[in-house]
Amino acid sequence: ELKVEQNPLFLSMQEGKNYTIYCNYSTTSDRLYWYRQDPGKSLESLFVLLSNGAVKQEGRLMASLDTKARLSTLHITAAVHDLSATYFCAVDYNNNDMRFGAGTRLTVKP
Amino acid sequence: DVKVTQSSRYLVKRTGEKVFLECVQDMDHENMFWYRQDPGLGLRLIYFSYDVKMKEKGDIPEGYSVSREKKERFSLILESASTNQTSMYLCASTPIQGAGELFFGEGSRLTVL
């Protein structure tokens, strides 16, 4: 059974600081996704990582995938308040069977 | 832009009632999904469908059924709602030929009293 573990589950950080969210998964997969969810809203796609070594960047967020380690990271650079949200990683297990992590609730404080 | 529309944003039902949650997508996606989201548990897959009249169970199908009579519409049915089905329900779709990312609706928050 595929398990997807994110850590930390809660993250409070100061504006301007850097931090990394980790996503570990238990079964081989080379398709991993990051989503963002704002309070009261649905999920929107941030990154799609489709191969080992894939790295994607958008603004202050950078995601990477190491399929051998079964690990993806979401790195936050110089955090700003607008990044406050809940971030989910999801692993595509056996085509169409997407498993989600529990989510990381990020709060960026001034 | 892909649009996934869920018919009800907020519902309050009583235990034992039959509940229908409707989801419509306008981008001709083959695959559609129903998830429930609970704090600390992330999203859990209830059912998915990869074609009209086809359905597959996800992780937590008990107490739920689904219907896909048309490609654009995927309905989640709670035959007899119970309080432990109080949750946020999210519908999503994705095309077969694509990167696999899901496109989500706004969610339906169901409270069962």
Side-chain angles (χ1 to χ4, degrees):
Chain A
E1 182 188 341
L2 178 66
K3 292 189 187 299
V4 181
E5 295 183 348
Q6 276 182 247
N7 69 85
L9 297 183
F10 298 93
L11 176 56
S12 179
M13 54 192 297
Q14 297 291 126
E15 279 191 328
K17 298 293 187 182
N18 304 333
Y19 208 84
T20 301
I21 299 170
Y22 297 89
C23 176
N24 292 273
Y25 55 98
S26 60
T27 303
T28 302
S29 174
D30 56 4
R31 296 162 74 96
L32 190 136
Y33 308 82
W34 285 95
Y35 294 87
R36 170 181 171 143
Q37 185 179 36
D38 292 298
K41 302 284 189 181
S42 192
L43 281 74
E44 63 174 316
S45 177
L46 284 176
F47 298 111
V48 178
L49 304 169
L50 299 179
S51 61
N52 185 40
V55 177
K56 296 277 183 76
Q57 182 160 6
E58 179 78 29
R60 300 173 188 274
L61 299 177
M62 184 173 71
S64 65
L65 177 62
D66 181 343
T67 58
K68 293 179 181 176
R70 299 178 186 168
L71 170 69
S72 179
T73 60
L74 180 66
H75 187 72
I76 304 154
T77 301
V80 293
H81 178 70
D82 285 352
L83 290 180
S84 296
T86 299
Y87 294 87
F88 291 92
C89 66
V91 178
D92 189 340
Y93 168 61
N94 197 26
N95 273 336
N96 293 327
D97 193 352
M98 189 89 72
R99 303 298 176 96
F100 284 77
T104 297
R105 183 180 291 182
L106 170 65
T107 304
V108 181
K109 298 181 178 179
Chain B
D1 279 351
V2 175
K3 193 164 177 67
V4 180
T5 304
Q6 294 183 229
S7 56
S8 304
R9 291 294 308 276
Y10 301 95
L11 303 96
V12 179
K13 298 291 182 180
R14 296 201 176 276
T15 300
E17 281 192 85
K18 192 168 186 175
V19 181
F20 290 89
L21 299 179
E22 300 276 315
C23 175
V24 178
Q25 50 93 6
D26 66 0
M27 285 301 290
D28 205 35
H29 287 174
E30 291 83 6
N31 302 325
M32 296 188 74
F33 305 80
W34 276 105
Y35 289 88
R36 66 176 280 178
Q37 181 180 14
D38 300 288
L41 296 177
L43 278 72
R44 292 178 292 166
L45 181 63
I46 305 171
Y47 269 97
F48 67 96
S49 169
Y50 51 87
D51 201 353
V52 175
K53 297 192 186 294
M54 305 301 286
K55 61 184 179 184
E56 294 285 343
K57 293 180 180 179
D59 291 330
I60 51 164
E62 296 78 19
Y64 303 94
S65 62
V66 290
S67 172
R68 191 152 181 215
E69 296 297 320
K70 294 184 178 181
K71 189 176 184 180
E72 67 270 19
R73 187 180 299 268
F74 192 34
S75 303
L76 180 69
I77 303 150
L78 288 67
E79 293 289 341
S80 178
S82 63
T83 55
N84 64 11
Q85 292 178 310
T86 292
S87 187
M88 169 70 88
Y89 290 88
L90 293 168
C91 175
S93 72
T94 191
I96 284 181
Q97 299 296 331
E101 63 188 309
L102 296 172
F103 297 88
F104 283 89
E106 289 293 308
S108 298
R109 184 167 293 282
L110 171 67
T111 301
V112 183
L113 302 175

